[in-house]
Amino acid sequence: MSEPTYPADTFDSPAPVLSVSPVVLPAPGRAVDLEVRVSAPVTGSDLPVVLLSHGQGYSNHLSSLNGYAPLANFWAAHGFVVIQPTHLSSASLSLDPDTPGAPLFWRSRAEDMTRVLDQLDVIEAAVPQLLGRLDRSKVAVAGHSMGGHTAGLLLGARLTDPDDGTEVNLADPRITAGILLAAPGRGGEALTEFVAENWPFFRTTDFSKMTTPTLVVAGDRDDSAHLTVRGPDWHADPYFLSPGPKSLLTLFGAEHGLGGVSGYDVAETTDENPGRVSAVQRLTSAYLRTAFNPGNSAWKAACDALLSGPEPLGRVESK
């Protein structure tokens, strides 16, 4: 299929965005039906789809379909249809803590994304402005923090189910590109004692079969001491421990919030920096545009513009 007709050819000309929520997808066997937000440019055709998985922060509603507006709005304004689920781990649902899979619902989170792809017809029917405008051959998954773990599973990462000892493979071949933002790294000795004991699924994370092209974004000051004993380098594991093609964007001075990607002016961002958020927006958008259309130079141009000069915002390496 030809390259999408983007509503905006440059980052300086965002298109108006429509955003609809909640779109409710029937989910038999799930604790509640799956609610999603759909954001898209009001114009344009052959639009790629980005599934965006929220993290597990302190706020009640950032970890839901109502979070991550800086990313969802920007991506939608520059030619992508962004679909954000509220995972069962969201505090906004107030589920009983004894609900099977609680508290982090690692398997259900990935299954939510597969369910979204299975029900794109339902989504189009609920948002008729999208009818005939999706390019279903171009699907990416993105996730921040715990959402990065979710995205990694869909991109091919594996783990051993701590309940029955089986290898878990939740990769979805319909997904052809990924963005991992401050995602968890390896398990084993890299984990804190609390994580190893309370969230044992993290122990066996294996990136060796995560073959889907992916951009890994990590902050060089994101020590995540509540999760790992390895410091900021832990968040680069999905790059170094997986096969190519991959790219690693290391943001200088960035902590876990990467400048504030989870929401506008949120208190849980410890490194608030609008310029850094802008860089993440532009670089991730450019990466996806080139990943879906290899002849497109957007990724190289964005790297040259944002990561060069006397005070670069970060560095990129690829394999």
Side-chain angles (χ1 to χ4, degrees):
M1 185 173 288
S2 62
E3 185 166 347
T5 303
Y6 290 102
D9 293 329
T10 71
F11 291 134
D12 296 325
S13 302
V17 170
L18 65 89
S19 185
V20 180
S21 72
V23 175
V24 181
L25 305 181
R30 196 174 183 268
V32 295
D33 283 339
L34 177 60
E35 295 188 351
V36 304
R37 174 183 296 276
V38 182
S39 301
V42 298
T43 59
S45 59
D46 294 333
L47 301 174
V49 176
V50 181
L51 309 178
L52 176 54
S53 179
H54 62 72
Q56 209 57 42
Y58 302 110
S59 302
N60 288 322
H61 293 282
L62 290 177
S63 296
S64 77
L65 59 77
N66 292 313
Y68 293 86
L71 295 179
N73 291 346
F74 187 91
W75 291 341
H78 293 92
F80 301 93
V81 175
V82 183
I83 304 176
Q84 300 173 255
T86 294
H87 297 302
L88 292 179
S89 58
S90 176
S92 67
L93 296 177
S94 300
L95 293 182
D96 188 314
D98 292 327
T99 302
L104 294 182
F105 296 94
W106 61 267
R107 183 188 291 271
S108 171
R109 290 173 64 104
E111 292 173 344
D112 287 345
M113 300 310 213
T114 297
R115 195 184 303 272
V116 167
L117 294 180
D118 290 342
Q119 298 194 53
L120 287 178
D121 288 341
V122 177
I123 291 173
E124 285 197 23
V127 189
Q129 297 93 331
L130 289 181
L131 282 173
R133 299 176 60 207
L134 303 184
D135 184 348
R136 301 189 187 195
S137 71
K138 295 176 179 176
V139 178
V141 64
H144 175 247
S145 193
M146 185 61 195
H149 183 271
T150 301
L153 292 177
L154 292 157
L155 295 166
R158 308 288 175 87
L159 58 79
T160 300
D161 189 321
D163 294 328
D164 60 20
T166 60
E167 183 184 63
V168 176
N169 177 11
L170 296 173
D172 194 313
R174 294 170 292 186
I175 296 171
T176 58
I179 304 285
L180 302 184
L181 302 155
R186 74 184 75 182
E189 79 289 345
L191 302 177
T192 64
E193 182 177 348
F194 175 87
V195 170
E197 291 182 359
N198 291 276
W199 303 326
F201 64 90
F202 276 128
R203 295 177 192 164
T204 53
T205 300
D206 176 10
F207 298 107
S208 66
K209 297 177 182 177
M210 193 177 77
T211 58
T212 309
T214 300
L215 171 63
V216 178
V217 182
D220 68 359
R221 294 186 183 176
D222 181 7
D223 59 19
S224 295
H226 60 300
L227 298 174
T228 182
V229 298
R230 288 193 56 239
D233 289 348
W234 186 61
H235 294 287
D237 282 350
Y239 173 79
F240 288 109
L241 302 181
S242 68
K246 299 288 186 300
S247 292
L248 172 64
L249 167 61
T250 302
L251 293 169
F252 300 152
E255 299 177 14
H256 198 60
L258 304 179
V261 297
S262 64
Y264 296 116
D265 298 322
V266 299
E268 67 185 47
T269 297
T270 58
D271 64 331
E272 186 172 18
N273 186 315
R276 184 175 297 135
V277 173
S278 178
V280 173
Q281 292 169 328
R282 292 166 184 253
L283 286 160
T284 54
S285 181
Y287 178 85
L288 291 175
R289 189 171 294 192
T290 297
F292 288 135
N293 303 282
N296 188 302
S297 61
W299 171 237
K300 182 181 185 305
C303 289
D304 289 345
L306 297 169
L307 304 178
S308 61
E311 296 185 5
L313 297 169
R315 66 176 181 271
V316 165
E317 52 195 288
S318 299
K319 62 180 182 181

